[in-house]
Amino acid sequence: MWTLVLMFGLGLAIDPVRLALTMVMISRRRPILNLLAFWLGGITAGIGIGVVVLLMMREAALVAIRTVGSVITHVRTATVIFDGARFQIIMGLLLLVTLTVSEIRKRAAANSPMARVTTGGGGNVATLVDERPSRNPFVRLGAISQNLLDCDRIWPAFAIGFSSFPPYEGVVLLAFIMASGAAVGTQFGALMVFFLILFAAVEIPLVAYLVSPDKTQVVMLKLQDWLRIHRPQIAKFIIGGTGIVLLVGGVAAL
């Protein structure tokens, strides 16, 4: 059981999406508070899952976990595109295509006749004439998400942390923990250790801040400025890198 907890925890702790969320927290205003809220959200979710699944509704939860796991496995094996390596290849291609289309649309918008270029002072500044709100729901959702990230509130970080429990891997790990035969307290402790490892990327700067708050604050502010300047490039790198890793891993597993 403990070996699986370490393997799952370390594997998911370096997940590109989780690391990207950590960088988003750092790039927000008051990065330490956002990291703390993000961490508290995840730990609260872990405690809640542990209390409900392992203590209050143990038998029902075990049946539900086995049912959900078997359904997921059946769907992935019965559907060709969800079967192991094929799913990795499709997800990798989807990420790379999404990145490519986004880049093409961005360049097309920059070269569009609707963009008016005015010269003044130090150089050319591109200004869009049509600034009407987009009717695309995905664009609106992205704008809302961006506003939440740019606002000065802490609750979005807590909410993201609270909802960051991995659905498939978490269910599998819970099934192994509950089937281990260990005492309930030991199982609960194993689940908490998993969550602590899961949020290692968040805990490192928090611990550093407790040890040396002034130095950590300076480093965090510098990192925050760097992330804000290079945010588009970082997003492209994460999406493209994840797509390449999934594609190569899927092809190698065929």
Side-chain angles (χ1 to χ4, degrees):
M1 178 182 70
W2 290 107
T3 302
L4 286 173
V5 168
L6 291 175
M7 288 177 58
F8 274 77
L10 291 173
L12 293 173
I14 59 175
D15 179 68
V17 176
R18 194 169 304 279
L19 293 177
L21 287 175
T22 303
M23 288 190 289
V24 168
M25 296 302 124
I26 295 175
S27 66
R28 298 190 69 202
R29 301 172 186 174
R30 299 184 292 177
I32 295 297
L33 283 178
N34 279 278
L35 284 174
L36 180 59
F38 182 62
W39 181 81
L40 286 175
I43 297 301
T44 302
I47 294 174
I49 292 172
V51 170
V52 173
V53 174
L54 299 178
L55 300 179
M56 295 177 60
M57 303 174 62
R58 183 177 180 84
E59 297 300 327
L62 185 58
V63 174
I65 287 173
R66 288 174 177 173
T67 302
V68 171
S70 62
V71 169
I72 293 175
T73 302
H74 177 72
V75 171
R76 294 184 66 177
T77 54
T79 309
V80 176
I81 63 172
F82 290 145
D83 186 17
R86 295 184 181 90
F87 180 71
Q88 286 184 313
I89 293 174
I90 291 173
M91 290 303 298
L93 288 174
L94 182 61
L95 288 175
L96 293 176
V97 169
T98 301
L99 180 61
T100 303
V101 171
S102 175
E103 208 44 37
I104 291 174
R105 292 183 63 181
K106 183 178 179 181
R107 293 185 180 182
N111 297 326
S112 173
M114 296 176 64
R116 182 180 60 194
V117 180
T118 59
T119 305
N124 294 333
V125 179
T127 305
L128 290 179
V129 174
D130 190 0
E131 295 184 353
R132 291 176 297 178
S134 174
R135 296 182 180 180
N136 190 324
F138 296 102
V139 174
R140 291 186 177 182
L141 182 60
I144 294 173
S145 302
Q146 188 63 42
N147 290 334
L148 286 176
L149 291 175
D150 292 338
C151 71
D152 202 28
R153 299 174 183 175
I154 301 299
W155 68 263
F158 182 89
I160 294 173
F162 188 83
S163 61
S164 62
F165 179 72
Y168 178 71
E169 294 84 355
V171 169
V172 173
L173 181 63
L174 276 172
F176 276 106
I177 290 177
M178 297 179 73
S180 65
V184 175
T186 303
Q187 293 182 13
F188 186 84
L191 183 62
M192 291 301 100
V193 170
F194 166 72
F195 271 91
L196 290 175
I197 298 174
L198 188 67
F199 288 92
V202 180
E203 292 159 357
I204 291 173
L206 289 177
V207 172
Y209 183 78
L210 290 176
V211 175
S212 180
D214 294 335
K215 291 182 179 179
T216 304
Q217 189 72 27
V218 171
V219 173
M220 294 290 284
L221 289 175
K222 291 181 179 179
L223 181 58
Q224 185 183 58
D225 292 337
W226 185 84
L227 288 173
R228 286 178 177 174
I229 294 172
H230 299 89
R231 181 184 294 179
Q233 292 83 355
I234 294 172
K236 294 175 187 177
F237 176 79
I238 292 174
I239 295 174
T242 304
I244 292 173
V245 169
L246 288 174
L247 183 60
V248 172
V251 172
L254 286 177

